[in-house]
Amino acid sequence: MNSFISPFFADLMLWLMYLMLAAALVTTGFSVWHGMRTRRKGDDIINGVPAGKIGWCVAILLVVCLVVTFLLGSSSPVVTNGVQFTDVFWLKATDMFIYTSILLIIGCFVSAIVSRFRS
């Protein structure tokens, strides 16, 4: 059997992935819409914590992190299973998601440690 032939369920898995991505985007959009519709002015400060500002800062920092890691991503070709991939956009996008995921995981650990020892 030729090693370049795709597996039997590859097309099905790709369509399932597209469907799950669409569902995630629709759910995110609905959540943002519902949150903005039901939000009151006094909800920005909860127990003395400026939750509104923290939420905006987190969203802005995530977008900045995605842009920076995309710009820092490598565009050198990758050989996988004997096939060379040279599309610069997808190479940089892959690095962007990997680096951003690593940074977010490190951020979670650091925030857990800081909040544990905070008085």
Coordinates of all heavy atoms in Angstrom, one line a residue, residues 17-18 21 34 39 41 49 60-61 65 78 80 86 89 91 95 99 105 110 113 118:
M17 N -14.1 18.0 12.1 CA -13.3 19.1 12.7 C -13.9 20.4 12.2 O -14.0 21.3 13.1 CB -11.9 19.0 12.2 CG -11.0 20.0 12.8 SD -9.3 20.0 12.1 CE -9.6 20.4 10.4
Y18 N -14.2 20.6 11.0 CA -14.9 21.8 10.5 C -16.2 22.1 11.2 O -16.5 23.2 11.6 CB -15.1 21.8 9.0 CG -13.8 21.7 8.2 CD1 -13.7 21.0 7.0 CD2 -12.7 22.4 8.6 CE1 -12.6 21.0 6.2 CE2 -11.5 22.4 7.8 CZ -11.5 21.7 6.6 OH -10.3 21.7 5.9
L21 N -15.5 23.2 14.8 CA -15.0 24.6 14.8 C -16.1 25.6 14.5 O -16.2 26.6 15.2 CB -13.9 24.8 13.7 CG -13.4 26.2 13.5 CD1 -12.7 26.6 14.7 CD2 -12.5 26.3 12.3
H34 N -25.1 37.3 24.2 CA -26.0 37.1 25.4 C -25.4 37.9 26.6 O -26.1 38.6 27.3 CB -26.1 35.7 25.7 CG -27.0 35.4 26.9 ND1 -28.4 35.7 26.9 CD2 -26.7 35.0 28.1 CE1 -28.9 35.4 28.1 NE2 -27.9 34.9 28.8
R39 N -25.9 42.4 30.3 CA -25.0 43.0 31.2 C -25.6 44.3 31.8 O -26.2 45.1 31.0 CB -23.7 43.3 30.5 CG -22.6 43.9 31.3 CD -21.4 44.0 30.4 NE -20.6 45.0 31.0 CZ -19.6 45.7 30.4 NH1 -19.3 45.4 29.2 NH2 -18.9 46.6 31.0
K41 N -24.7 47.9 34.2 CA -23.5 48.8 34.4 C -22.8 48.5 35.7 O -21.6 48.6 35.8 CB -24.0 50.3 34.4 CG -22.9 51.3 34.6 CD -22.0 51.2 33.4 CE -21.0 52.3 33.5 NZ -19.9 52.2 32.6
V49 N -13.4 43.9 43.0 CA -12.5 43.5 41.9 C -13.0 44.0 40.6 O -14.2 43.8 40.2 CB -12.3 42.0 41.8 CG1 -11.4 41.6 40.7 CG2 -11.8 41.4 43.1
I60 N -7.7 41.6 25.2 CA -6.7 42.4 24.4 C -5.4 41.7 24.4 O -4.7 41.6 23.4 CB -6.7 43.8 24.9 CG1 -8.0 44.6 24.6 CG2 -5.5 44.6 24.3 CD1 -8.1 45.9 25.3
L61 N -5.0 41.2 25.6 CA -3.7 40.5 25.7 C -3.7 39.2 24.9 O -2.6 38.9 24.3 CB -3.3 40.3 27.1 CG -2.8 41.5 27.9 CD1 -2.6 41.1 29.4 CD2 -1.6 42.0 27.3
C65 N -1.1 38.6 21.9 CA -0.3 37.4 22.0 C -0.4 36.6 20.7 O 0.6 36.1 20.2 CB -0.7 36.5 23.2 SG 0.3 35.0 23.4
V78 N 8.4 22.4 6.1 CA 8.4 21.2 7.0 C 8.1 20.0 6.1 O 7.2 20.0 5.3 CB 7.3 21.3 8.1 CG1 7.2 20.1 8.9 CG2 7.6 22.6 8.9
T80 N 6.7 16.2 6.3 CA 6.0 15.3 7.1 C 5.5 14.1 6.2 O 4.9 14.4 5.2 CB 4.7 16.0 7.7 OG1 5.2 17.1 8.4 CG2 4.0 15.1 8.6
T86 N 5.0 24.0 2.3 CA 5.7 25.3 2.1 C 4.7 26.5 2.3 O 5.2 27.6 2.1 CB 6.3 25.3 0.8 OG1 5.3 25.1 -0.2 CG2 7.4 24.2 0.6
F89 N 1.6 30.9 5.3 CA 0.5 31.3 6.3 C 0.3 30.2 7.3 O 0.2 30.4 8.5 CB -0.8 31.6 5.5 CG -1.9 31.9 6.5 CD1 -2.1 33.0 7.2 CD2 -2.9 30.9 6.6 CE1 -3.1 33.2 8.0 CE2 -3.9 31.1 7.5 CZ -4.1 32.2 8.2
L91 N 2.1 27.6 8.0 CA 3.3 27.3 8.9 C 3.3 28.2 10.1 O 3.6 27.9 11.2 CB 4.6 27.3 8.1 CG 4.8 26.2 7.0 CD1 5.9 26.6 6.1 CD2 5.0 24.9 7.7
D95 N 2.6 27.5 14.2 CA 3.5 28.0 15.3 C 2.8 28.9 16.2 O 3.0 28.9 17.4 CB 4.7 28.7 14.7 CG 5.8 27.7 14.2 OD1 5.7 26.5 14.5 OD2 6.8 28.2 13.5
Y99 N 2.8 28.1 20.2 CA 3.4 29.1 21.1 C 2.4 29.7 22.1 O 2.6 29.9 23.2 CB 4.2 30.2 20.4 CG 5.4 29.6 19.6 CD1 5.8 30.3 18.5 CD2 6.0 28.5 20.0 CE1 6.9 29.8 17.7 CE2 7.1 28.0 19.3 CZ 7.5 28.7 18.1 OH 8.6 28.2 17.4
I105 N -0.6 28.0 29.0 CA -0.4 27.0 30.1 C 0.6 27.5 31.1 O 0.3 27.4 32.3 CB 0.1 25.7 29.4 CG1 -1.1 25.1 28.6 CG2 0.6 24.7 30.5 CD1 -0.6 23.9 27.7
V110 N 1.6 29.9 36.6 CA 2.1 31.0 37.4 C 1.0 31.7 38.2 O 1.1 32.0 39.4 CB 2.7 32.1 36.4 CG1 3.0 33.4 37.1 CG2 4.0 31.5 35.8
I113 N 0.1 29.5 41.2 CA 1.1 29.6 42.2 C 1.1 30.9 43.0 O 1.1 31.0 44.2 CB 2.5 29.4 41.6 CG1 2.7 27.9 41.2 CG2 3.6 29.7 42.6 CD1 3.9 27.6 40.4
R118 N -0.6 34.1 47.9 CA -1.0 35.5 48.1 C -1.9 35.5 49.4 O -2.7 34.7 49.7 CB -1.9 35.9 46.9 CG -2.2 37.3 46.9 CD -3.0 37.7 45.6 NE -3.5 39.0 45.7 CZ -4.3 39.5 44.9 NH1 -4.8 38.8 43.9 NH2 -4.8 40.7 45.0

